[in-house]
Amino acid sequence: MTKIHEMLNEQFNFEIESAYLYKAMETYVDQKGMKGFAHFFNVQAQEEMFHAQKFYDFMMSIDASPKYTGIPEPQAEFGNFKDTFAAALEHEKEVTRRIKEIYKAAVAEEDLDTPEFLHWFLDEQREEEETFRDIVERLERIGENWGGLYIFDGQLAQRPAQG
Ligand code: FEO
């Protein structure tokens, strides 16, 4: 495995780990009766599996066999709803950091295919960070107001399924 193949494989597994984390967040908010928030995290988990599939497909196309490396157990408690989405935002920032590291390493190795493949992810990460930032900001304003929380829960229930 080349260094870039290793980094791609690590990110392939990290996307699956991201899906697992969002499934844990789904469960956490679902247990607190927030069906819309739970739906949002479920769709997010599906998106992460879609991201993993993109890495898988790209790796296959450059003859770099994807290898499954195991997924750490995600945390089960995330604090209040704002804290939960803030943890998701922090996770997305880490994903962005990792994608940029692969990009820079590929450029340094004069690998022309990987940066082109990663452009889609750079756009996607900007969008994902913006989405979570907006949600955290809204939850900060809503605070402990249950009326506001239920209205927002209903809004996040409208997120279209990945597909
Ligand atoms: Fe696959 Fe949310 O980054």
Side-chain angles (χ1 to χ4, degrees):
M1 250 197 198
T2 69
K3 179 184 169 193
I4 301 302
H5 290 187
E6 268 176 37
M7 292 178 92
L8 288 167
N9 197 64
E10 199 179 325
Q11 190 59 31
F12 163 64
N13 281 278
F14 199 65
E15 297 291 345
I16 298 172
E17 186 178 328
S18 302
Y20 213 49
L21 172 67
Y22 291 132
K23 290 302 283 183
M25 289 181 176
E26 175 195 2
T27 305
Y28 182 68
V29 295
D30 206 357
Q31 281 169 338
K32 295 182 182 305
M34 305 307 268
K35 293 286 176 202
F37 293 173
H39 167 78
F40 182 93
F41 280 121
N42 183 32
V43 174
Q44 188 63 38
Q46 290 168 24
E47 284 217 354
E48 299 306 340
M49 289 307 292
F50 173 68
H51 296 170
Q53 186 67 40
K54 283 181 91 75
F55 274 94
Y56 178 95
D57 292 342
F58 177 65
M59 291 181 72
M60 292 300 279
S61 77
I62 59 170
D63 199 20
S65 300
K67 187 172 177 295
Y68 296 84
T69 56
I71 303 170
E73 183 179 322
Q75 64 189 94
E77 300 276 332
F78 298 95
N80 65 24
F81 299 124
K82 189 205 75 179
D83 293 340
T84 307
F85 281 92
L89 173 59
E90 287 311 305
H91 184 80
E92 287 306 324
K93 286 183 185 170
E94 174 60 18
V95 174
T96 303
R97 190 191 68 73
R98 288 175 183 230
I99 299 270
K100 286 180 177 171
E101 285 303 311
I102 306 170
Y103 191 103
K104 285 187 273 183
V107 168
E109 304 255 329
E110 299 184 1
D111 165 351
L112 302 182
D113 296 317
T114 302
E116 193 202 6
F117 164 67
L118 291 177
H119 277 152
W120 184 90
F121 279 92
L122 292 175
D123 289 341
E124 178 74 2
Q125 284 311 118
R126 269 197 307 276
E127 278 176 29
E128 295 214 328
E129 285 191 30
E130 186 184 10
T131 299
F132 280 113
R133 225 177 13 252
D134 286 349
I135 293 174
V136 171
E137 207 174 281
R138 288 236 226 158
L139 286 169
E140 256 164 23
R141 290 181 187 148
I142 294 169
E144 300 298 317
N145 176 332
W146 280 99
L149 285 170
Y150 279 121
I151 289 170
F152 195 35
D153 183 67
Q155 288 170 347
L156 292 197
Q158 304 304 317
R159 182 179 187 180
Q162 167 71 36

